[in-house]
Amino acid sequence: MAKNFVGEAASREEDEVRYGWVYKGGTLHCDGMALERLRQDLRQEFGYLASPAFVYSSATLTNNVRRYRDALAPLEARGVLSYALKANSNPALVKVLREAGVQMATTVSGNEILLALSAGFPGRQIIFNGNGKRRWEVELAVRRGVLLNVDSGFDARQVVEVAGEVGIRPRVLVRLNPAINPQTHPYLATALADSKFGVDSDQLEQVLRELGSGGRVAVVGVHIHAGSALTHLPVYVEMMQAAVRTLHQIRESGWDEASIINLGGGLDVPHTPPSPKIFNSTQPPSSPLATTSPTGTMETSTPTPGELVQVVLPHLPEGVTLLLEPGRSLVATAGVLMTQVLGVKVNAGRKFVVVDAAITEVIRPAFYGVQHPLLYISPPSHQDVAEVDVVGPLSENGDFLARRCLLQRPPAVGAALVVWEAGAYCASMASNYNLRPRAIEVLVQDAGSFKVIRRPQEFADLVRDYL
Ligand code: LLP
């Protein structure tokens, strides 16, 4: 039986194209909507070609949530799914995720707390994390009953102080630095012994003493976030074991009802772009671009949320709540960035495909060295490939989306491409560098229906704040 991109068995061809990302009739569809048609509709709506543009699939978002909820189902009320807003904080996506079953929002700034509140999460369903919290942010969190992750001695002192002033006893988790190598890109590793995050085991007792002073704070559990784009399940087992030891220590320090283990986020996504099935050859089409993980190794398999929960569950003590707070694995595969070819040039034999998207929209290849597959919306029907650099229009040599990748050639001027896996850490890390407007964002809701969820920026938007 055929399977669509989001992994569901499709009994009929129309089911196969209705959900997620698939090629049908030689052109890429999102939740049943042809992206060529979407481009035309957007051109009509705005009177010009709105490009680049992020496009998100509601069905993929919903399905990603379902996979976590199914994985946590054996724990019933003791399995809780939180969404790390930083991966993509567009409120329209947050709404879809919440309606699909996300129970909490993990935030890293006062403004993210405000966004979570306005998206309908009550304070009790918000987590506030950070290694450098400002006073107004802590005050906001305490007043709203947000669960705070305490990251250090100075953080603990500030929380205790604010709790005293405000007269509210906040619930907190202690963020542990477990000194684990999560085997990911160095910028994405947050639990190494010398990372800036969390409290190491030597300082734990002292931080617990700070938190205990005056009885102003309730320590309800422990938090560990080891890193991002993780593919090694044993890392989660190590995290869980360290969390259980810490939970005992917290209980022995007087908070004997502490019963939450927050294992953070971090799970990577399978790097499997949809493939155009337009070739008659017995060979599969050449991969548009080989995909590698941030560690630079070719990915063969990425664990699923189900596999993650399965390995940690045997270590979870009776009666303890397991909280997971993924970002990437809920949203990355739900989004692409549509872009178009502005021109092709050759310098010293090196071919450059210049597109209208840049590191202002997708900074990850330049920043972490990761590769995002690039796909034609309507691929040519031959298999000739050329090695090219796909670059943006910025005045930076580091402005590339892909280097030395294989692309079917020749990309014609105006040809539409998508940057795959752009739902996480792309729009949320975007900038206005070179006075470029932010890309619009579009949510496809069902076959043929879409909603613009981020309007185009104009010149006036970009200069408004200058005095
Ligand atoms: N919880 C905490 C405390 C975090 O710091 C993070 C992400 C998450 C949860 C969610 O992690 P995820 O499931 O998305 O891996 N800009 C980088 C990713 C940085 C992630 C930082 N922390 C990128 O583009 O890959």
Short mmCIF file of all heavy atoms in Angstrom, two decimals, residues 77-98:
data_model
loop_
_atom_site.label_atom_id
_atom_site.label_comp_id
_atom_site.label_asym_id
_atom_site.label_seq_id
_atom_site.Cartn_x
_atom_site.Cartn_y
_atom_site.Cartn_z
N ALA A 77 -2.02 10.75 31.75
CA ALA A 77 -1.82 12.16 32.14
C ALA A 77 -0.37 12.45 32.54
O ALA A 77 0.02 13.60 32.67
CB ALA A 77 -2.75 12.51 33.30
N ARG A 78 0.45 11.40 32.70
CA ARG A 78 1.84 11.62 33.10
C ARG A 78 2.78 11.78 31.90
O ARG A 78 4.00 11.87 32.06
CB ARG A 78 2.32 10.48 34.01
CG ARG A 78 1.63 10.50 35.38
CD ARG A 78 2.29 9.56 36.37
NE ARG A 78 2.28 8.17 35.90
CZ ARG A 78 3.34 7.50 35.48
NH1 ARG A 78 4.53 8.08 35.47
NH2 ARG A 78 3.23 6.26 35.07
N GLY A 79 2.22 11.84 30.71
CA GLY A 79 3.02 12.09 29.51
C GLY A 79 2.58 13.42 28.92
O GLY A 79 1.42 13.57 28.54
N VAL A 80 3.45 14.41 28.90
CA VAL A 80 3.04 15.76 28.50
C VAL A 80 3.90 16.26 27.36
O VAL A 80 5.13 16.17 27.39
CB VAL A 80 3.14 16.73 29.71
CG1 VAL A 80 2.77 18.15 29.30
CG2 VAL A 80 2.22 16.27 30.84
N LEU A 81 3.23 16.83 26.35
CA LEU A 81 3.93 17.35 25.17
C LEU A 81 3.90 18.87 25.18
O LEU A 81 2.84 19.49 25.19
CB LEU A 81 3.26 16.83 23.90
CG LEU A 81 3.88 17.31 22.58
CD1 LEU A 81 5.33 16.85 22.44
CD2 LEU A 81 3.05 16.82 21.39
N SER A 82 5.10 19.46 25.18
CA SER A 82 5.22 20.91 25.10
C SER A 82 5.89 21.24 23.77
O SER A 82 6.68 20.45 23.26
CB SER A 82 6.08 21.40 26.27
OG SER A 82 6.10 22.81 26.32
N TYR A 83 5.58 22.42 23.22
CA TYR A 83 6.20 22.81 21.94
C TYR A 83 7.19 23.94 22.21
O TYR A 83 6.83 24.96 22.82
CB TYR A 83 5.11 23.26 20.95
CG TYR A 83 5.66 23.97 19.73
CD1 TYR A 83 6.61 23.35 18.92
CD2 TYR A 83 5.25 25.26 19.39
CE1 TYR A 83 7.14 24.01 17.81
CE2 TYR A 83 5.76 25.91 18.28
CZ TYR A 83 6.71 25.28 17.49
OH TYR A 83 7.24 25.92 16.39
N ALA A 84 8.42 23.79 21.75
CA ALA A 84 9.44 24.84 21.90
C ALA A 84 9.20 25.91 20.83
O ALA A 84 9.56 25.74 19.66
CB ALA A 84 10.83 24.24 21.78
N LEU A 85 8.61 27.00 21.27
CA LEU A 85 8.16 28.06 20.35
C LEU A 85 9.27 28.62 19.47
O LEU A 85 9.01 29.16 18.40
CB LEU A 85 7.61 29.23 21.16
CG LEU A 85 6.21 29.15 21.73
CD1 LEU A 85 5.85 30.47 22.37
CD2 LEU A 85 5.22 28.82 20.63
N LYS A 86 10.50 28.56 19.94
CA LYS A 86 11.59 29.18 19.19
C LYS A 86 11.76 28.57 17.79
O LYS A 86 12.28 29.22 16.91
CB LYS A 86 12.90 29.08 19.97
CG LYS A 86 13.34 27.64 20.16
CD LYS A 86 14.77 27.53 20.57
CE LYS A 86 14.94 27.87 22.04
NZ LYS A 86 16.26 27.45 22.54
N ALA A 87 11.33 27.31 17.63
CA ALA A 87 11.51 26.67 16.33
C ALA A 87 10.72 27.40 15.25
O ALA A 87 11.17 27.53 14.11
CB ALA A 87 11.11 25.20 16.39
N ASN A 88 9.54 27.87 15.64
CA ASN A 88 8.71 28.65 14.71
C ASN A 88 7.58 29.24 15.54
O ASN A 88 6.74 28.51 16.05
CB ASN A 88 8.14 27.78 13.59
CG ASN A 88 7.54 28.62 12.48
OD1 ASN A 88 6.89 29.63 12.74
ND2 ASN A 88 7.76 28.21 11.24
N SER A 89 7.58 30.55 15.67
CA SER A 89 6.60 31.13 16.58
C SER A 89 5.43 31.78 15.86
O SER A 89 4.73 32.61 16.45
CB SER A 89 7.28 32.12 17.53
OG SER A 89 8.18 32.94 16.82
N ASN A 90 5.21 31.43 14.60
CA ASN A 90 4.04 31.99 13.92
C ASN A 90 2.77 31.51 14.66
O ASN A 90 2.52 30.30 14.76
CB ASN A 90 4.00 31.56 12.45
CG ASN A 90 2.91 32.31 11.70
OD1 ASN A 90 1.76 32.34 12.12
ND2 ASN A 90 3.29 32.95 10.62
N PRO A 91 1.96 32.46 15.17
CA PRO A 91 0.80 32.06 15.98
C PRO A 91 -0.17 31.13 15.25
O PRO A 91 -0.82 30.30 15.89
CB PRO A 91 0.12 33.40 16.30
CG PRO A 91 1.18 34.43 16.12
CD PRO A 91 2.11 33.92 15.06
N ALA A 92 -0.25 31.26 13.93
CA ALA A 92 -1.19 30.38 13.20
C ALA A 92 -0.72 28.92 13.28
O ALA A 92 -1.54 28.00 13.38
CB ALA A 92 -1.29 30.83 11.74
N LEU A 93 0.60 28.72 13.25
CA LEU A 93 1.11 27.35 13.37
C LEU A 93 0.92 26.86 14.81
O LEU A 93 0.57 25.69 15.04
CB LEU A 93 2.60 27.27 13.02
CG LEU A 93 3.04 27.70 11.63
CD1 LEU A 93 4.47 27.24 11.38
CD2 LEU A 93 2.13 27.16 10.55
N VAL A 94 1.16 27.76 15.76
CA VAL A 94 1.01 27.38 17.17
C VAL A 94 -0.44 26.93 17.41
O VAL A 94 -0.69 25.96 18.11
CB VAL A 94 1.41 28.56 18.10
CG1 VAL A 94 1.19 28.20 19.55
CG2 VAL A 94 2.87 28.95 17.86
N LYS A 95 -1.37 27.62 16.77
CA LYS A 95 -2.79 27.27 16.94
C LYS A 95 -3.05 25.85 16.41
O LYS A 95 -3.73 25.05 17.06
CB LYS A 95 -3.63 28.30 16.18
CG LYS A 95 -5.11 28.13 16.31
CD LYS A 95 -5.83 29.41 15.87
CE LYS A 95 -7.33 29.26 15.99
NZ LYS A 95 -7.97 28.71 14.79
N VAL A 96 -2.51 25.56 15.22
CA VAL A 96 -2.72 24.22 14.66
C VAL A 96 -2.12 23.16 15.60
O VAL A 96 -2.74 22.14 15.89
CB VAL A 96 -2.06 24.09 13.25
CG1 VAL A 96 -2.15 22.66 12.73
CG2 VAL A 96 -2.70 25.06 12.27
N LEU A 97 -0.92 23.44 16.09
CA LEU A 97 -0.25 22.47 16.98
C LEU A 97 -1.06 22.26 18.26
O LEU A 97 -1.22 21.14 18.73
CB LEU A 97 1.15 22.97 17.35
CG LEU A 97 2.17 23.03 16.19
CD1 LEU A 97 3.43 23.77 16.63
CD2 LEU A 97 2.53 21.64 15.70
N ARG A 98 -1.60 23.35 18.78
CA ARG A 98 -2.36 23.26 20.03
C ARG A 98 -3.65 22.46 19.80
O ARG A 98 -4.00 21.58 20.58
CB ARG A 98 -2.66 24.67 20.53
CG ARG A 98 -3.32 24.71 21.84
CD ARG A 98 -3.02 25.99 22.60
NE ARG A 98 -3.62 25.87 23.91
CZ ARG A 98 -4.77 26.42 24.25
NH1 ARG A 98 -5.40 27.18 23.39
NH2 ARG A 98 -5.28 26.23 25.44
#
